[in-house]
Amino acid sequence: MKNLTTGSVFKNIVFFSLPYLLSYFLQTLYGMADLYIIGRFETQVAATTAVSIGSQVMHMLTVMLVGLAMGTTVCIGRAIGANDRRSVSSTVGNTVSLFSLVSVVFTVILLFLVKPIVSVMATPNEAVSGTIAYLTVCFIGIPFITAYNVISSVFRGMGDSKSPMYFIAVACFVNICLDCLFIGAFKMGPVGAALGTTLSQAVSVAISLVVIRKRKLIVISRKDLNPDRTVIGKLLKIGIPVALQDGFIQIAFIVITIIANNRGLTDSASVGIVEKVICFVFLVPSSMLSAVSALGAQNIGAGKKDRAIQTLKYACLISVGFGIVVCIIAQLLSEQIVGAFTQDNAVIVSGGKYLRGYIFDCVFAGIQFSFSGYFCACGKSQLSFIHNVISILIARVPGAFFASKMFPDTLLPMGLASAAGSLLSSIICIAAFLLMQKKENRFERKDSRETA
């Protein structure tokens, strides 16, 4: 366990977020490697589209699981900040029990709904069979995906962001090797991509369990595994709003994908590829969200709220600065970036325009992600849910729909609609934070007068 309540706030956030950033980078390589390798070995756009749509569904499921596990990270972080080891053990035990049930339920339900999901995604006819096959294999691997993300949330709550990075690094290497084997040598297409992803996650979980056992990092008793309403209630109070928030964001992405799918195979493939690129550039904002959640939770648990606010400010500066640099690069090299994932000239041109508009989202996302992390650390994850739902319903989805209708020959306005949604979220986050500070200052002045 690492105490993050002392020392330089800036150094803490950098040293904690860098391994987290690399973990996200390696995890994102899963989907990007699938797309890249299948684009090199398969000449038909339908195969790329199948993996693109299927991996987007899996990404939605993964981020929801990560969001739900945020309750574990925050509760463990607060317990460590307060030096309450008994609460740490109880939280870990109840997390294991809760997510074991969640993974089984998700697997059964999603396997039953695989065809309706493919239909709802408005998957082009040419890619339907490949998408069904891809999702079926991935849904079978849900227990491994759940286990990895839960183990990672526990480590990060304890202040250790390096171990999850090592676990996913091995898994990513295995995934790339298996993709080359299944897609390249065995010509298995989308099924090969799904098998590589599922088996590599299983390897990651196996390695992490071996490390935990050898290091004796987590000590829990059978009593800790017994469901405790109070503990599970705390986990879900933080985790459910974050999971719903991430779910709505991914649903918005899926709706936009459906809009693009209805425009034809070229625009469908273009949007799918750019979404993968965006997932990559969102690594920094996403790592800031998790870093602020973990560091903020420990400092709030230790009664050091000023340090939590400092963490938020540094996270905003880092992520916004990164976003500006990425925007400049994307404006200059958008077609070259999209061209790395396909050989189809029409997809390269269409995707390049979409990326030029969408990339501005990275700047504003840095702000809203950092604030969302702070709200989670404060136990007010419902604020993150609220601002995301508002931005989706008012700007992101309606903007994409009307842009698609008004500009049928270009994807640029659809990309700008996503950036507008994040801008609205950022404004709401700043306003909510200022109101929280004003309210806390009022209570502090009241307490001071009563004490005097």
Side-chain angles (χ1 to χ4, degrees):
M1 300 184 187
K2 184 176 181 181
N3 191 317
L4 301 171
T5 63
T6 59
S8 168
V9 173
F10 181 76
K11 286 183 179 179
N12 279 345
I13 194 171
V14 169
F15 288 128
F16 183 91
S17 63
L18 278 178
Y20 206 112
L21 173 63
L22 290 173
S23 297
Y24 265 132
F25 168 74
L26 293 169
Q27 199 160 22
T28 302
L29 278 181
Y30 272 107
M32 294 185 74
D34 289 348
L35 272 178
Y36 180 84
I37 293 172
I38 204 165
R40 287 291 163 264
F41 289 104
E42 293 282 345
T43 57
Q44 295 182 348
V45 177
T48 302
T49 303
V51 173
S52 172
I53 294 173
S55 59
Q56 188 171 7
V57 173
M58 291 309 299
H59 181 68
M60 174 182 175
L61 175 63
T62 300
V63 297
M64 289 186 70
L65 288 171
V66 171
L68 191 59
M70 183 65 74
T72 297
T73 298
V74 171
C75 288
I76 290 177
R78 286 188 173 185
I80 289 176
N83 198 27
D84 186 353
R85 293 182 177 270
R86 183 71 198 89
S87 292
V88 173
S89 298
S90 179
T91 299
V92 173
N94 278 267
T95 295
V96 172
S97 300
L98 174 64
F99 280 90
S100 295
L101 177 62
V102 168
S103 66
V104 172
V105 171
F106 272 27
T107 300
V108 173
I109 292 176
L110 291 173
L111 283 173
F112 182 74
L113 296 176
V114 62
K115 290 184 178 179
I117 290 171
V118 173
S119 177
V120 168
M121 291 291 290
T123 306
N125 291 331
E126 302 92 329
V128 168
S129 61
T131 307
I132 290 174
Y134 181 91
L135 286 176
T136 299
V137 175
C138 287
F139 287 163
I140 293 173
I142 284 175
F144 300 119
I145 296 173
T146 303
Y148 166 74
N149 286 291
V150 168
I151 291 170
S152 296
S153 71
V154 171
F155 273 100
R156 287 161 183 154
M158 294 190 299
D160 179 6
S161 59
K162 292 182 180 179
S163 294
M165 177 187 68
Y166 299 141
F167 303 149
I168 201 67
V170 174
C172 186
F173 175 76
V174 173
N175 182 54
I176 292 173
C177 293
L178 291 178
D179 275 353
C180 291
L181 178 65
F182 294 145
I183 299 173
F186 295 164
K187 306 296 181 183
M188 296 175 67
V191 173
L195 275 174
T197 297
T198 301
L199 293 176
S200 58
Q201 287 278 17
V203 171
S204 176
V205 171
I207 291 174
S208 63
L209 291 176
V210 170
V211 171
I212 289 172
R213 185 174 180 179
K214 285 190 173 181
R215 293 184 186 175
K216 297 181 179 180
L217 296 171
I218 303 171
V219 179
I220 57 175
S221 63
R222 289 185 179 180
K223 182 180 178 182
D224 294 322
L225 294 171
N226 294 329
D228 185 311
R229 286 188 178 183
T230 302
V231 176
I232 290 180
K234 290 179 181 179
L235 296 175
L236 295 179
K237 182 181 179 181
I238 297 172
I240 287 179
V242 179
L244 290 176
Q245 159 202 314
D246 292 341
F248 276 114
I249 291 173
Q250 295 307 312
I251 288 172
F253 288 155
I254 288 174
V255 170
I256 293 171
T257 298
I258 293 171
I259 293 171
N261 289 347
N262 288 322
R263 290 166 63 111
L265 201 59
T266 295
D267 283 354
S268 174
S270 299
V271 169
I273 290 172
V274 172
E275 290 291 354
K276 288 299 178 187
V277 174
I278 291 298
C279 286
F280 176 75
V281 297
F282 268 31
L283 293 175
V284 170
S286 296
S287 65
M288 289 300 109
L289 186 157
S290 300
V292 173
S293 297
L295 274 67
Q298 281 203 20
N299 282 288
I300 289 172
K304 300 179 179 180
K305 207 156 192 176
D306 289 344
R307 287 178 61 87
I309 294 175
Q310 280 186 295
T311 302
L312 168 63
K313 291 178 179 178
Y314 282 129
C316 286
L317 288 173
I318 292 170
S319 53
V320 170
F322 170 79
I324 291 172
V325 172
V326 167
C327 282
I328 294 172
I329 294 172
Q331 297 307 315
L332 298 174
L333 301 173
S334 61
E335 282 79 13
Q336 290 89 331
I337 293 171
V338 176
F341 300 94
T342 180
Q343 301 176 44
D344 188 292
N345 288 330
V347 174
I348 292 173
V349 173
S350 179
K353 292 178 181 178
Y354 188 54
L355 179 58
R356 281 199 174 93
Y358 203 151
I359 198 66
F360 290 105
D361 196 358
C362 191
V363 176
F364 305 122
I367 299 173
Q368 62 145 321
F369 278 35
S370 297
F371 275 97
S372 291
Y374 179 78
F375 294 148
C376 288
C378 292
K380 300 180 183 295
S381 56
Q382 65 271 19
L383 292 176
S384 299
F385 170 74
I386 291 170
H387 78 72
N388 274 290
V389 171
I390 291 174
S391 70
I392 288 169
L393 295 179
I394 292 180
R396 194 178 295 269
V397 170
F401 176 78
F402 288 115
S404 178
K405 295 297 182 182
M406 296 174 64
F407 303 93
D409 298 325
T410 177
L411 288 173
L412 175 64
M414 282 184 62
L416 291 172
S418 294
S422 286
L423 174 59
L424 178 59
S425 274
S426 298
I427 293 171
I428 295 172
C429 283
I430 293 171
F433 174 77
L434 293 175
L435 287 174
M436 283 175 59
Q437 292 300 104
K438 185 176 181 180
K439 186 176 180 180
E440 289 174 5
N441 290 336
R442 189 186 306 128
F443 282 134
E444 288 177 0
R445 288 196 296 269
K446 183 179 179 181
D447 290 340
S448 297
R449 287 195 298 269
E450 290 177 353
T451 303

